[in-house]
């Protein structure tokens, strides 16, 4: 069974939020940039009892199977400008040829791979700390990016602690969670994810308004970007965060009104969301701005993967979490009413990753990701 918390403290409008991140202008300068697709999944909407369901598919960002490169690249760019004293992307591309800088990060998979890829763009080394239970496919992906991988004895949170302890003048930490004294880089990462929402807004121009947005929560960076973006809209949609059951640090934190750590081990198949401590930078915004929180067991993620595959969309376990949340919301009438879901609701979810573990994907869906074909409903 899933857990649900309605956040009575959410405010209709938050003050001081900007309407547009400069990150999208930076991303448009990078080779291989193109907006990801926004799919209209009307058959799935009917299955869920909604009027309309839009799916923003982040399965191929700059050749990587997840959205994380958006936050990592924007944070690395800004940090390198600060450290080197250079002032443009072109200067960084040529000025770091003989640099001894190494970029560090902890990861369950996608963030570390993104840091390693962006490090390569600037000719820098990458060292990635990973928890003990990370799968071999994710290790291989990190090695393929040229990263040095350090497996530690412990959870994702312990990997973060060891990466931070190893940082220094020439060893720059690029982490998507924050704590007192380490706020700037995670804030840049949140800004970088704003590109997803900026693209979606452009793709939605002229369409009927969105009523409901569901977004995955690990440490909370993507959810913070989503909250910041939609709170600038004149007609704000309702915002729901989705976490794995057993790694639901944001749900528990909102219930408590303060940061709560969920001790590991965190064993959900939604590996990218197996985070026990919320980002200090994200938590205040989510406490004030997100309308509800869900934590769901793995069965919902597996069913969401199958339903998305029927629509021609390949989604990994973490990537399918938004639809997993919709399954939970719409199967319980009282919860649906609390969130305001009915037959005229128009919802948006973000598929944040493709099948990063093809073997696991085939076991869940019943066919390999390579044979799933997109349907006719999409906007590039």
């Amino acid at each position: 069974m899933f857990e649900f918390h309605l956040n009575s403290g959410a405010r209709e409008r938050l003050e001081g939020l900007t309407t547009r991140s400069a990150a999208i202008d930076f991303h448009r300068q990078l080779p291989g940039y193109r907006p990801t697709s926004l799919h209209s999944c009307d058959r799935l909407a009917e299955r869920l009892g909604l009027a309309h369901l839009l799916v923003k598919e982040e399965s191929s960002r700059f050749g990587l199977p997840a959205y994380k490169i958006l936050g990592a690249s924007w944070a690395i760019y800004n940090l390198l400008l600060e450290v080197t004293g250079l002032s443009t992307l072109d200067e960084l591309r040529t000025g770091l040829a003989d640099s001894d800088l190494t970029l560090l990060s902890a990861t369950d998979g996608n963030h570390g791979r993104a840091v390693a890829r962006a490090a390569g763009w600037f000719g820098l080394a990458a060292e990635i700390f990973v928890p003990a239970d990370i799968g071999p496919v994710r290790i291989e992906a990190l090695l393929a990016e040229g990263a040095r991988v350090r497996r530690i004895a412990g959870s994702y949170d312990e990997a973060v602690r060891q990466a931070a302890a190893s940082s220094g003048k020439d060893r720059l930490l690029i982490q998507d969670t924050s704590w007192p004294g380490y706020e700037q880089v995670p804030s840049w990462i949140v800004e970088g994810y704003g590109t997803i929402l900026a693209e979606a807004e452009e793709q939605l121009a002229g369409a009927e308004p969105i009523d409901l947005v569901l977004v995955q929560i690990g440490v909370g960076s993507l959810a913070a970007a989503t909250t910041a973006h939609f709170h600038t809209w004149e007609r704000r949609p309702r915002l729901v965060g989705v976490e794995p059951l057993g790694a639901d640090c944001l749900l528990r934190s909102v219930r408590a009104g303060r940061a709560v750590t969920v001790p590991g081990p965190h064993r959900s198949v939604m590996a990218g969301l197996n985070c026990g401590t919320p980002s200090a930078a994200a938590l205040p915004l989510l406490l004030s701005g997100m309308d509800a929180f869900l934590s769901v067991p793995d069965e919902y993620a597996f069913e969401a993967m199958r339903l998305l595959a029927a629509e021609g969309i390949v989604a990994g376990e973490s990537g399918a979490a938004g639809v997993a949340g919709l399954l939970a919301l719409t199967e319980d009438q009282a919860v649906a009413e609390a969130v305001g879901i009915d037959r005229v609701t128009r919802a948006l979810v973000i598929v944040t990753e493709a099948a990063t573990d093809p073997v696991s994907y085939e076991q869940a869906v019943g066919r390999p990701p390579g044979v799933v074909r997109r349907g006719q409903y999409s906007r590039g």
Side-chain angles (χ1 to χ4, degrees):
M1 186 60 181
F2 63 88
E3 290 283 335
F4 173 74
H5 178 75
L6 189 66
N7 184 18
S8 58
R11 300 200 297 271
E12 184 63 27
R13 296 295 292 253
L14 300 179
E15 301 299 325
L17 297 177
T18 57
T19 58
R20 185 177 185 275
S21 169
I24 191 169
D25 297 324
F26 163 75
H27 291 134
R28 284 171 171 161
Q29 297 179 63
L30 299 177
Y33 169 79
R34 63 178 181 83
T36 55
S37 295
L38 183 68
H39 302 280
S40 179
C41 298
D42 293 335
R43 291 170 294 179
L44 181 50
E46 184 176 0
R47 157 74 169 76
L48 295 169
L50 306 173
H52 204 48
L53 175 62
L54 293 163
V55 177
K56 181 71 167 161
E57 186 187 5
E58 293 292 311
S59 61
S60 182
R61 279 287 184 183
F62 298 105
L64 292 175
Y67 73 105
K68 294 281 191 174
I69 189 67
L70 295 173
S73 62
W74 178 241
I76 290 167
Y77 168 69
N78 281 284
L79 185 59
L80 290 177
L81 291 180
E82 187 176 279
V83 168
T84 65
L86 300 174
S87 57
T88 69
L89 179 59
D90 287 339
E91 288 180 5
L92 287 177
R93 284 168 170 160
T94 58
L96 293 172
D98 300 318
S99 174
D100 293 327
L101 293 175
T102 296
L103 303 183
L104 310 180
S105 190
T107 190
D108 276 316
N110 290 325
H111 173 70
R113 189 175 179 185
V115 170
R117 173 66 62 88
W121 286 346
F122 294 108
L124 303 178
E127 187 172 320
I128 309 299
F129 293 69
V130 301
D133 60 355
I134 193 171
V137 171
R138 292 180 170 86
I139 293 287
E140 291 166 9
L142 291 167
L143 294 172
E145 297 294 339
R148 178 188 176 193
V149 178
R150 293 184 59 178
R151 188 191 293 264
I152 61 93
S155 67
Y156 167 80
D157 290 335
E158 180 59 28
V160 171
R161 284 190 284 271
Q162 292 200 26
S166 181
S167 64
K169 180 180 178 182
D170 296 322
R171 293 169 60 79
L172 306 180
L173 183 66
I174 308 296
Q175 202 57 55
D176 54 353
T177 189
S178 69
W179 52 87
Y182 187 76
E183 291 95 3
Q184 183 59 77
V185 167
S187 295
W188 283 327
I189 288 174
V190 171
E191 289 178 8
Y193 295 155
T195 290
I196 300 171
L197 292 317
E199 288 179 0
E201 185 169 0
E202 292 175 358
Q203 291 164 321
L204 287 167
E208 291 293 318
I210 295 295
D211 304 302
L212 176 69
V213 180
L214 289 95
V215 61
Q216 294 86 330
I217 296 179
V219 297
S221 297
L222 178 60
T226 303
T227 302
H229 182 88
F230 285 110
H231 266 275
T232 65
W233 284 27
E234 190 65 30
R235 185 182 183 277
R236 183 180 72 81
R238 296 179 296 280
L239 306 175
V240 179
V242 185
E243 301 173 275
L245 200 65
D248 47 356
C249 58
L250 261 299
L251 185 151
R252 298 194 196 189
S253 295
V254 174
R255 278 182 175 169
R258 58 176 176 78
V260 172
T261 293
V262 179
H266 308 115
R267 303 200 182 281
S268 171
V269 296
M270 293 173 271
L273 308 181
N274 275 334
C275 305
T277 303
S279 170
L283 182 58
L285 184 58
L286 301 182
L287 280 169
S288 298
M290 188 154 278
D291 297 286
F293 295 83
L294 280 170
S295 59
V296 297
D298 290 346
E299 290 75 16
Y300 286 85
F302 290 139
E303 179 63 12
M305 292 165 69
R306 290 187 284 268
L307 290 170
L308 285 163
E311 292 283 347
I313 298 172
V314 175
E317 295 87 350
S318 297
V323 172
L326 275 174
L327 285 168
L329 290 176
T330 55
E331 78 173 20
D332 187 307
Q333 185 175 353
V335 170
E337 289 176 356
V339 179
I341 297 176
D342 54 32
R343 298 292 303 184
V344 299
T345 296
R346 293 170 54 84
L348 169 69
V349 301
I350 304 170
V351 167
T352 52
E353 66 170 11
T356 54
D357 187 334
V359 173
S360 174
Y361 182 88
E362 185 172 1
Q363 290 173 344
V365 175
R367 49 181 166 158
V371 304
V372 174
R373 295 289 180 265
R374 291 193 181 98
Q376 58 182 322
Y377 309 108
S378 67
R379 299 183 190 183

